[in-house]
Structure formats: C-alpha cells, structure tokens
Amino acid sequence: MVVTFPGPARKPSPGFPKMKKPATLISTWPPKGAVEARWATEGNFWTHARSVGRKNPWDLIIFNFQTQDPKEVNWYLQQAVGCWRLDPGGNFKFDSALTNDGKDGIIYIPPPSWTPPAHFSRGSGAGKFMSGIQNAAATILRDLSVRMPALRYGATTMRPQDYRTIADLIESQEMSIDIDPDRGGPAGYSSEDKAIVLKYSPRIGNARHAASLANEAVHAATHYYEIPHNMLRNEFVSTVAGAIAMGLTSERVLLRHINPKTFKNWGYYYSGWVWNHLFRPRGIWSIDLEDLDAQFEHPFLTTTANPMSELKVAMAHYGWKGSYDDFPQWD
C-alpha cells in the first residue's frame, strides 16, 4: 500500500530547506498506535515532548517518521505535516504549518510506554541523544572551571569551582539541560524546573554555547547555594561570565561581538576582552565588577571605554529592569 501524503501548503520560505526524500517511505500515515493528535501550528518537537513527560524530542520524531536523519525529517514535515516556513538553518518550523487542503498540520503522540527501537541512536531507547547533550554541557563547564576567574558583585559570587559543581549536578540529573529552539534568547535558567534551557544543542568548542552555559551557570549556582541577591547585579555577573567564557573559547568570535560596526550591543561582551587582555596578563584572577567601572582601551575605538557603563547601556536596550531582590530556595 502506497501512502498518500497531503503535501506542502505553500512553497518553502524564506530560503531553501535542507531535506531529502527517504529511500524507503513509511508504510502508514498517521502512525499506528497514536494516543493523541497535536496541531503543528505552535511549539516544536521539544515543547510537545515535554508536555507529555518526555525529555527526548526524537521519541516523537521517530514515532511519526521512523527516521533520525534531519534531512528526511524535513521531507516528512513538508509532505506529511504540510510545513512550509523555514528557520535560518533551513529546517521547517511548526508555526503556519498548513496542509494543502487548508487544514492545520498534525503530529502524533505515542503511548507513554512506547520506546524507540534501540537501533535509533537518538531515541530514548538507546539513551545516547540526551546523555550526549548533558555530557557536552558538563564538559564545557568543567573546562571553564579551570580557566575562569572568580567574579563578584554585591552578594553574587561565582568561583571557578562553581562551574564544576553545576556540571556535577547535570551529570547526576539533579539539574537538567533542556533545548527549546523557539526561545527568544540563546539561553535561560528555570529555577522551578532546575533546568538550563538552551536554544541549540551545546557543542564543545563553540564560543557562543560556552558563553550561554557560563551565563546560566551563575544563575544556577546562585539558586543551588541559595544566595539572596539583587537581580540586576546577578545579571551583571552572569553576563560578564558569559563574555569571558566566549573569549576563552574563541578570541575571533569575541572580537566580532565587541566590534560596534558588527554588533550593536557590544557592551555585553567588552568586559570579556578587558579581562583577557588587560587583567589576566597582570595575574588578576578575581574581579569585583566595581573593577570594571573605569576607562579601558578598546581595540576598535579611538577613545577608551567603560565596560560597566557599556554593559548597563546594552542591558537597558533589551529592557532589563530586574533591580529587585531575590531569595532563592533550592528545595
């Protein structure tokens, strides 16, 4: 029996999808044994998986399409679900996923007891995909624990060994790493879920991923140690930690981020350059952010710049007003 798929609602936009037609197509659609149908107009496989108590989005993907090849997944999302809108990476998004008959596209939820066959390495049946994400995040944090300076501003203190503590919590699954491709910023920390939420799966050696993890590790450590703090000062420490982690991972990427011609909010990352080029050569491995409230040279400006004031300007641009006090409780 040949499966007839609804097909795409519209021509893919913007750009071109990264996809290929599977050599062997699935034999049934919708998949047999589904317990629920979900509109594919909101969220993504990550959010739908979490809503039914699954941490691994590939469980839903494999149940629906019987493949773990991202390009084949895109083919099915277009042909079976009707997706047409693309993200910057050339992958189909759920929003505005309409079939060619004008009805919303649908994905299907497997029974709670269903587990992907073990030969699917990304599925929970093999247990490799989520453990790979956790291992990558923990590895990045452990590397930072031997390279980062101690940072302090008010009650918020982030010591080098605290990155290792967060890595331990991730490996022991007391703290989780979640991925949400639709989140607005690159990362966030959920104290309610004890989870660092990233926009992309972390890759070792990626400067932006290291910056995101260092940033959120400050919030996670503040929560774990139950440190009463001023939210604005806590955010300043986390941002400086991210800037330093970016520079330690890739000087080239940091230089691109502190160039006013290429990045409007370069003040977010300028403190990383100041520590790496002006403080570290002098053997300064402990910084109170008050130390940044001074004029320092800048590689792309003819005048000196104040990293603390530039950081405040950048955060104000994003509408940050978190000047209230917080009293975190871990349990």
Side-chain angles (χ1 to χ4, degrees), residues 263-277:
F263 193 71
K264 180 188 299 183
N265 293 304
W266 57 271
Y268 264 125
Y269 300 97
Y270 177 47
S271 57
W273 186 88
V274 169
W275 179 79
N276 198 36
H277 286 268

Side-chain angles (χ1 to χ4, degrees), residues 144-179:
L144 293 176
S145 73
V146 297
R147 304 174 69 193
M148 293 286 287
L151 300 173
R152 181 177 63 258
Y153 194 33
T156 300
T157 299
M158 189 68 181
R159 305 164 301 172
Q161 61 264 37
D162 294 334
Y163 300 97
R164 185 173 63 251
T165 296
I166 301 304
D168 291 342
L169 291 171
I170 291 171
E171 290 183 331
S172 66
Q173 299 187 3
E174 293 180 70
M175 185 177 293
S176 63
I177 295 288
D178 290 342
I179 309 296

Side-chain angles (χ1 to χ4, degrees), residues 60-329:
L60 270 61
I61 296 171
I62 294 168
F63 177 76
N64 278 267
F65 308 133
Q66 298 174 33
T67 182
Q68 60 182 9
D69 184 329
K71 291 184 178 180
E72 293 183 356
V73 172
N74 275 330
W75 190 90
Y76 281 120
L77 283 173
Q78 183 188 55
Q79 298 299 323
V81 183
C83 296
W84 60 273
R85 190 180 296 278
L86 295 167
D87 68 15
N91 298 306
F92 285 111
K93 301 173 63 176
F94 278 5
D95 58 298
S96 301
L98 305 175
T99 53
N100 57 7
D101 62 357
K103 297 180 180 179
D104 292 319
I106 293 176
I107 61 168
Y108 297 89
I109 305 299
S113 60
W114 184 86
T115 301
H119 67 271
F120 288 108
S121 61
R122 294 175 182 250
S124 61
K128 294 181 180 179
F129 179 69
M130 290 307 298
S131 63
I133 289 176
Q134 294 168 350
N135 290 339
T139 298
I140 292 170
L141 291 169
R142 288 186 186 282
D143 176 67
L144 293 176
S145 73
V146 297
R147 304 174 69 193
M148 293 286 287
L151 300 173
R152 181 177 63 258
Y153 194 33
T156 300
T157 299
M158 189 68 181
R159 305 164 301 172
Q161 61 264 37
D162 294 334
Y163 300 97
R164 185 173 63 251
T165 296
I166 301 304
D168 291 342
L169 291 171
I170 291 171
E171 290 183 331
S172 66
Q173 299 187 3
E174 293 180 70
M175 185 177 293
S176 63
I177 295 288
D178 290 342
I179 309 296
D180 182 0
D182 290 336
R183 67 168 288 108
Y189 178 70
S190 171
S191 57
E192 181 179 352
D193 299 325
K194 297 180 180 177
I196 294 176
V197 185
L198 304 173
K199 189 176 181 69
Y200 303 105
S201 298
R203 296 198 305 275
I204 297 171
N206 185 294
R208 285 173 294 183
H209 295 178
S212 295
L213 281 166
N215 188 310
E216 302 311 327
V218 173
H219 300 308
T222 303
H223 181 205
Y224 178 69
Y225 292 118
E226 298 184 343
I227 302 172
H229 60 276
N230 174 276
M231 288 292 290
L232 186 59
R233 290 186 171 219
N234 188 264
E235 193 67 30
F236 281 167
V237 172
S238 67
T239 302
V240 172
I244 293 175
M246 175 179 284
L248 287 173
T249 307
S250 173
E251 177 75 5
R252 176 183 58 83
V253 173
L254 179 64
L255 287 174
R256 187 166 68 242
H257 277 71
I258 65 170
N259 190 336
K261 293 183 178 180
T262 58
F263 193 71
K264 180 188 299 183
N265 293 304
W266 57 271
Y268 264 125
Y269 300 97
Y270 177 47
S271 57
W273 186 88
V274 169
W275 179 79
N276 198 36
H277 286 268
L278 305 179
F279 285 8
R280 187 169 64 162
R282 292 155 51 191
I284 298 176
W285 287 84
S286 180
I287 305 173
D288 190 308
L289 264 61
E290 297 286 356
D291 300 335
L292 299 174
D293 194 14
Q295 296 293 114
F296 298 98
E297 63 178 285
H298 188 287
F300 302 113
L301 297 176
T302 56
T303 58
T304 57
N306 183 308
M308 178 59 78
S309 63
E310 295 298 339
L311 175 61
K312 292 177 179 178
V313 169
M315 294 183 70
H317 175 80
Y318 279 108
W320 176 257
K321 299 178 181 179
S323 58
Y324 58 90
D325 293 333
D326 189 29
F327 302 86
Q329 294 184 340

